[in-house]
Amino acid sequence: MNRKDLKQEKTCVLIKPDGVKRGLIGEIIKRIEQRGLKIIALQMIWATKDQIDRHYPKDKEYIRQLGEKTLANYKKYGFDAKKELGTDDVFEIGKMVRGWLIDYLTSGPVVKMVVSGIHAIGMVRKIVGQTMPSQAEMGTIRGDFSVDDATAANREKRSIRNIIHASGNEKEAEHEISFWFSPEEIHDYKRAEEDIMF
Ligand code: ADP
Ligand code: MG
């Protein structure tokens, strides 16, 4: 990766339906922009189930991670996953969570964007905070604006409402950007601060 590329790492962000319905679009964009990250593509859409199914990874490893995060959360609060969900198998739980996630992401419009900048993938994840809002640090989007938790969400057989999606790694970022945007919809321009900030 040359120096120019380093400043142009790209990541994909979706403001989820709860973020849109709560009027947090401006607040989220503000936090991304104030960090010196650049929005290079932006659109509101009402996604279909098929689109969300293709947006999130389907591989075993991802499903296992979803299940594991859920089980760890149950353990932390002393809840019995088998009693609540009918299973304590990580894959079964992972698949269940992925299904709820598709319902959640299609329950209203989402704002999709591509964000570019130095370490954009990691930086945006830092701005966003941990998956479980109840554990997300104050000062992050999820920590400041949400309080949901897996134990509460799973009891109601729904996804955790955590306002925003951001690509978790380079592979996800590449897939999501090319899935949601055509090359003509992504714009290359210079922000005024670029010569001063980095
Ligand atoms: P992140 O969005 O932080 O990358 P994941 O990729 O692990 O997190 O999960 C995708 C989304 O699935 C989360 O943002 C959240 O909305 C939902 N989710 C994850 N784990 C659970 C869970 N245990 N129960 C309900 N929903 C979950
Ligand atoms: Mg993820």
Side-chain angles (χ1 to χ4, degrees):
M1 206 185 250
N2 62 35
R3 288 184 79 181
K4 191 169 175 229
D5 288 337
L6 199 68
K7 291 183 187 178
Q8 292 181 359
E9 185 173 298
K10 292 176 184 55
T11 188
C12 184
V13 169
L14 302 181
I15 303 178
K16 295 177 174 178
D18 54 330
V20 172
K21 289 177 185 172
R22 290 178 55 195
L24 292 172
I25 299 170
E27 177 67 34
I28 290 167
I29 289 178
K30 187 197 88 180
R31 289 179 181 218
I32 292 170
E33 285 191 323
Q34 78 184 7
R35 189 85 199 220
L37 294 161
K38 181 163 64 178
I39 292 164
I40 57 170
L42 180 73
Q43 194 193 2
M44 180 183 281
I45 52 149
W46 198 314
T48 63
K49 283 183 190 253
D50 178 58
Q51 280 176 311
I52 300 300
D53 182 46
R54 284 155 63 205
H55 161 81
Y56 281 108
K58 271 191 179 132
D59 56 280
K60 270 194 137 178
E61 179 54 24
Y62 182 75
I63 308 267
R64 191 182 61 74
Q65 273 174 31
L66 273 182
E68 263 176 7
K69 272 199 222 177
T70 311
L71 273 178
N73 195 251
Y74 269 74
K75 214 169 171 184
K76 180 173 176 186
Y77 293 105
F79 288 107
D80 184 343
K82 192 150 192 179
K83 216 162 106 194
E84 300 256 340
L85 299 173
T87 177
D88 53 10
D89 180 84
V90 278
F91 287 105
E92 287 307 310
I93 295 176
K95 273 192 262 174
M96 220 182 278
V97 170
R98 201 175 179 283
W100 297 332
L101 186 53
I102 293 173
D103 291 338
Y104 165 39
L105 271 277
T106 54
S107 66
V110 300
V111 172
K112 57 175 180 145
M113 54 185 130
V114 179
V115 175
S116 153
I118 297 177
H119 299 308
I121 299 168
M123 280 296 171
V124 172
R125 291 290 293 198
K126 227 154 109 170
I127 296 169
V128 165
Q130 277 202 39
T131 304
M132 309 277 170
S134 59
Q135 288 168 34
E137 293 288 336
M138 302 299 128
T140 64
I141 291 168
R142 287 168 171 170
D144 286 350
F145 295 103
S146 52
V147 70
D148 208 7
D149 189 72
T151 45
N154 297 171
R155 191 161 281 182
E156 294 167 12
K157 306 269 182 271
R158 62 169 175 82
S159 175
I160 298 163
R161 295 188 193 130
N162 56 5
I163 304 171
I164 180 166
H165 162 82
S167 311
N169 53 48
E170 215 168 308
K171 193 172 152 227
E172 282 183 18
E174 273 174 25
H175 161 70
E176 292 167 12
I177 292 167
S178 63
F179 177 68
W180 289 114
F181 293 95
S182 63
E184 313 82 67
E185 291 172 321
I186 303 173
H187 302 284
D188 188 19
Y189 67 99
K190 193 169 184 180
R191 261 182 60 166
E193 314 87 316
E194 278 182 41
D195 291 331
I196 303 161
M197 280 182 88
F198 45 80

